[in-house]
Amino acid sequence: MIKNNTVIRWGIIGCGDVTEVKSGPAYKLTKGFELTAVMRRNADKVKDYAKRHQIEKYYTDADQLIDDPDIDAVYIATPPDSHMFYALKVAEAGKICCIEKPMAPSYQESLAIYNAFNEKNIPLFVAYYRRSLPRFTQIKEWIDNNEIGDVRHISWQFSAPASDLDKSGEYNWRTDVKIAPGGYFDDLASHGLDFFTFILGNIKEIKGISLNQQGNYSAKDAITACWVHENNVTGSAFWNFDCNDRLDKVTILGSKGSIEFAIFHEKPIKLKSDRNKETLHIEHPKHIQIYHVEDMRNMLIQGNFTHPSLGASALHTSWVMDKILGNL
C-alpha cells in the first residue's frame, strides 16, 4: 500500500505494439494512476507515441525515465531478454514495477528479479492479466463454488499454422532462441499455465518434451507436457506452431461435471454439471489489461486488496516453463 499518495505516476519502458491498445491506455484511464513518461530507443517513434497518447515526457534513455523524480512506478514492456536488465535498475531505484509476461526468459533470471524486489519489500507485478479478466474470473468462480465437484484433470490443446513471417526466414525476436528459447510457447503458453495455477494451485511436478520440429526458426516449435498440482489434480497439454488447424481448447474434468474454454479464442465458456448447464460469452474490454491495472491501483492505493499476479506467482510460472523446456 502507498500511504499518503492519491496519484501514482507511471513510466513505460518500451512503448511498442502491446502498449498501443492493450495496456498503455489502461494506465491513463485508471483513477489514481497517471501515465507521465514513456521511453523507446528510437527518438522519432517515442516522440510520436507521446504525442498521440498525450504523454508529457518521453525519453530514449531508460535510466533517465527510471531516475526521474516525477516517476513513482515503471512498467517494463520490452522483449523478455531485457526484462531483468531493466527490472534490477527499477528495484535499485526503489520504485514499484510491473513487468510484461513472461517475467524473464528463464527461471534463474526471474528469481533474480523477484529477489531484488522482495529484499527491498517493493511491490512487483507481472502482466498475467487473465487473472483479472471477467471471462476467466468466472471460470475460477465455478471452480471455487464446486460447480463440477472435485477437479480431476485439466488439458489444453493448442495448435496454429506457421505464419508467412515464420516461413520467410526473416528475423522475428519472438522466435529467436537467444531471446525466447521456447519461441511462441514462451509468449503464449505462459498465459495459460499461469492461469491454471491461479485456479488450481501451484504445480509440484512437471515433465515436458520440446523440440524444433519444423526448422522455420531457431526457437522451439513443438512442445508437450504433463504435470500434477499440489492438490493432486493432473494436467496435460501440447502446443504446436505449424499445424493446418487452429486449435485452442481447455477442458477441466471434475467428479460432477466439466468446464470448457479457450485461452486466446473468444469462444463461449461452457459449464456442464449434474446441477447446472451454462454457456456464457463474456467479451474482453477494448484495453485488455484494464482490470489488471485497476487491481494494481486497488492494492497500492486502497490497500484492502491483494493483486492476483504478483512476483511470487509469476516466478512459479517461470519455473513451470523452464521445467517443460528441460532447462531445470
Side-chain angles (χ1 to χ4, degrees):
M1 178 179 179
I2 307 302
K3 297 180 179 179
N4 302 319
N5 190 359
T6 57
V7 176
I8 295 175
R9 300 163 297 180
W10 284 83
I12 298 178
I13 296 176
C15 48
D17 290 346
V18 72
T19 68
E20 288 285 355
V21 178
K22 288 184 175 182
S23 60
Y27 288 84
K28 290 178 64 69
L29 295 171
T30 296
K31 185 178 180 181
F33 281 3
E34 287 182 1
L35 183 51
T36 303
V38 291
M39 173 270 167
R40 190 169 183 170
R41 287 177 294 180
N42 184 297
D44 292 337
K45 289 183 178 180
V46 73
K47 181 178 180 180
D48 174 68
Y49 185 97
K51 181 179 180 180
R52 287 186 292 104
H53 291 273
Q54 299 179 318
I55 299 166
E56 178 185 355
K57 298 182 180 183
Y58 55 91
Y59 299 103
T60 57
D61 185 336
D63 289 340
Q64 289 182 321
L65 183 145
I66 293 168
D67 295 335
D68 186 335
D70 292 332
I71 298 298
D72 306 306
V74 178
Y75 166 39
I76 299 171
T78 59
D81 64 320
S82 60
H83 286 182
M84 184 178 75
F85 177 77
Y86 291 123
L88 295 183
K89 288 176 177 284
V90 176
E92 183 63 27
K95 298 188 177 183
I96 300 160
C97 189
C98 179
I99 305 174
E100 257 308 321
K101 57 92 217 134
M103 192 173 180
S106 71
Y107 172 73
Q108 292 303 325
E109 289 188 12
S110 298
L111 181 61
I113 295 170
Y114 173 79
N115 286 339
F117 284 88
N118 189 52
E119 288 167 5
K120 290 192 171 187
N121 197 29
I122 302 169
L124 173 63
F125 307 90
V126 180
Y128 284 114
Y129 53 83
R130 276 166 177 74
R131 289 178 175 235
S132 297
L133 276 174
R135 170 182 170 85
F136 293 94
T137 58
Q138 177 61 66
I139 294 167
K140 187 176 190 307
E141 183 178 320
W142 283 339
I143 297 291
D144 292 347
N145 289 345
N146 207 37
E147 290 287 348
I148 62 170
D150 296 328
V151 178
R152 304 300 194 204
H153 184 80
I154 184 167
S155 67
W156 185 14
Q157 300 168 290
F158 184 93
S159 66
S163 68
D164 291 339
L165 177 59
D166 295 337
K167 292 181 284 189
S168 72
E170 293 181 25
Y171 182 75
N172 178 4
W173 68 261
R174 289 180 173 82
T175 53
D176 182 347
V177 70
K178 296 178 181 177
I179 296 176
Y184 293 117
F185 172 81
D186 287 356
D187 185 30
L188 302 178
S190 59
H191 268 300
L193 291 165
D194 181 83
F195 179 65
F196 299 164
T197 63
F198 179 52
I199 60 175
L200 299 175
N202 282 353
I203 291 170
K204 64 180 180 180
E205 185 178 355
I206 186 163
K207 298 183 184 298
I209 297 172
S210 61
L211 66 154
N212 184 301
Q213 188 181 67
Q214 294 97 37
N216 291 324
Y217 39 74
S218 60
K220 303 291 182 65
D221 57 21
I223 301 98
T224 64
C226 59
W227 64 87
V228 60
H229 293 264
E230 290 179 349
N231 58 4
N232 288 331
V233 173
T234 57
S236 61
F238 74 80
W239 304 265
N240 194 292
F241 298 96
D242 191 1
C243 288
N244 182 66
D245 295 339
R246 292 187 180 275
L247 181 62
D248 178 11
K249 181 180 179 181
V250 179
T251 305
I252 304 176
L253 302 175
S255 60
K256 297 181 180 179
S258 64
I259 298 170
E260 185 178 308
F261 61 99
I263 296 294
F264 299 104
H265 300 171
E266 288 191 59
K267 298 176 181 177
I269 58 175
K270 299 179 181 180
L271 167 68
K272 297 179 182 178
S273 70
D274 292 348
R275 62 184 183 183
N276 194 13
K277 287 186 179 182
E278 289 188 62
T279 298
L280 302 177
H281 183 74
I282 303 173
E283 293 185 358
H284 290 326
K286 178 180 179 180
H287 308 297
I288 202 165
Q289 291 196 23
I290 186 69
Y291 294 105
H292 164 79
V293 175
E294 289 178 346
D295 279 350
M296 288 196 289
R297 183 272 318 276
N298 295 342
M299 176 174 163
L300 294 170
I301 296 177
Q302 296 180 3
N304 58 352
F305 179 82
T306 299
H307 196 280
S309 184
L310 298 172
S313 60
L315 177 64
H316 180 69
T317 299
S318 292
W319 176 83
V320 169
M321 299 284 287
D322 256 14
K323 290 288 284 185
I324 292 174
L325 294 175
N327 297 329
L328 287 176

